[in-house]
Amino acid sequence: ATGTYYPDEGAGYTDNSRASTFYIPDGRVVLGGYEGLTGDTLAERNWACNLTTLSGNIDQVGGNAGNSYNVVEFNNAGASTLLDGFIIEGGNADGAGNSGNSNAHGGGINNSGNSGISNPTVSNCRISGNYASGYGGGIGVSSGSITLINCIISGNSDVIGNIGISTIYLINCTA
């Protein structure tokens, strides 16, 4: 539903834990852009008007020091895994090291295949205002690929390179 969501909120989550992330399991379809929490049909979905934000700003104060390392995380996700219709912002992957540490990569989206390959699809999303001390301030891909369709990628920063080290397919995207 319309609004801003933080990965550390809800039953079973640790408040203000920087390791908190929106983990998207293999095969899941996650859609933003609904107006309310109940009764919405796919036909009523409008991601351009009903803005749904996934935010790493878990402490909800200025600055990014207390933000989540990775706002969204895919791990071993197949091509049928879809994230569609979200704003992804406020990731701060400032963990130590440049290789093997997901806390240093993919502030907005971290796509990894720890025991295989990960090839999810992200569409109709805006990925902005994220940081990484390694690679991929906006999007970090360490294994496999990620397909981005109709996305805006802007205002992200990192030390090594703005979009990861693996294959990224961009279809009708603005960077």
Side-chain angles (χ1 to χ4, degrees):
T2 298
T4 300
Y5 298 88
Y6 306 94
D8 67 329
E9 295 183 352
Y13 294 93
T14 303
D15 193 37
N16 294 332
S17 169
R18 293 197 63 212
S20 297
T21 186
F22 290 102
Y23 174 72
I24 313 297
D26 177 39
R28 293 288 168 88
V29 174
V30 182
L31 304 173
Y34 290 99
E35 185 175 354
L37 292 175
T38 60
D40 288 348
T41 66
L42 193 56
E44 296 171 306
R45 179 175 171 258
N46 186 334
W47 54 267
C49 291
N50 302 320
L51 301 180
T52 309
T53 301
L54 303 180
S55 175
N57 187 13
I58 55 175
D59 59 6
Q60 299 178 36
V61 298
N64 67 356
N67 290 16
S68 289
Y69 292 113
N70 315 107
V71 179
V72 172
E73 184 160 356
F74 297 102
N75 186 4
N76 299 323
S80 65
T81 308
L82 172 66
L83 180 69
D84 184 304
F86 291 92
I87 297 168
I88 301 164
E89 65 183 20
N92 184 26
D94 65 349
N98 285 332
S99 65
N101 180 3
S102 67
N103 293 340
H105 312 299
I109 298 173
N110 186 43
N111 181 42
S112 63
N114 291 340
S115 60
I117 316 177
S118 194
N119 301 306
T121 300
V122 175
S123 62
N124 302 312
C125 288
R126 185 174 77 214
I127 304 155
S128 62
N130 300 287
Y131 171 79
S133 60
Y135 61 79
I139 306 160
V141 180
S142 62
S143 177
S145 66
I146 191 167
T147 300
L148 300 164
I149 303 169
N150 298 326
C151 292
I152 298 170
I153 307 155
S154 67
N156 302 291
S157 61
D158 57 38
V159 175
I160 296 176
N162 194 30
I163 304 183
I165 62 168
S166 211
T167 304
I168 297 180
Y169 300 102
L170 300 172
I171 302 169
N172 197 32
C173 292
T174 304

